[in-house]
Amino acid sequence: MPEAYRVRRYKHGYAVFDEDGQKITGQSTHAQCLEMIDKIQKSKTVRTRNCLCCGVPFPSEGIGNRICLVCKGSALFQGADPRDCSTGRNL
């Protein structure tokens, strides 16, 4: 079930609050808060993306999730130079 976000007055502006009433953004304008809610909801959308290391499609939970779990668990990913990935791409 998606989380419910709300824009509420906060100090001399507005802020975004989660369903538990916890503030998750700093003070800003109402429009900026609405944009932030949109970004949060889009970032939680699971999409199929290609792993930047091995190139295999995997379910990604957001723009910052671009390495599959298999590659994240590999010794190569854990401490090696990212340019050594199997695709040979220079990151």
Side-chain angles (χ1 to χ4, degrees), residues 76-91:
L76 181 66
F77 183 80
Q78 294 296 321
D81 188 330
R83 292 175 292 199
D84 293 334
C85 283
S86 62
T87 60
R89 293 185 228 165
N90 289 326
L91 301 177

Side-chain angles (χ1 to χ4, degrees), residues 2-53:
E3 292 184 54
Y5 298 98
R6 296 173 193 249
V7 177
R8 294 186 189 158
R9 286 192 84 34
Y10 180 74
K11 295 185 180 181
H12 299 288
Y14 295 88
V16 176
F17 293 81
D18 67 14
E19 61 188 1
D20 297 324
Q22 299 294 313
K23 183 172 68 78
I24 59 172
T25 66
Q27 179 180 332
S28 58
T29 67
H30 192 270
Q32 289 170 327
C33 287
L34 292 175
E35 288 177 19
M36 180 59 68
I37 289 172
D38 188 49
K39 286 180 184 179
I40 291 168
Q41 290 172 336
K42 285 181 181 178
S43 72
K44 293 185 182 247
T45 303
V46 176
R47 296 183 184 149
T48 300
R49 292 185 167 94
N50 292 335
C51 174
L52 292 178
C53 193

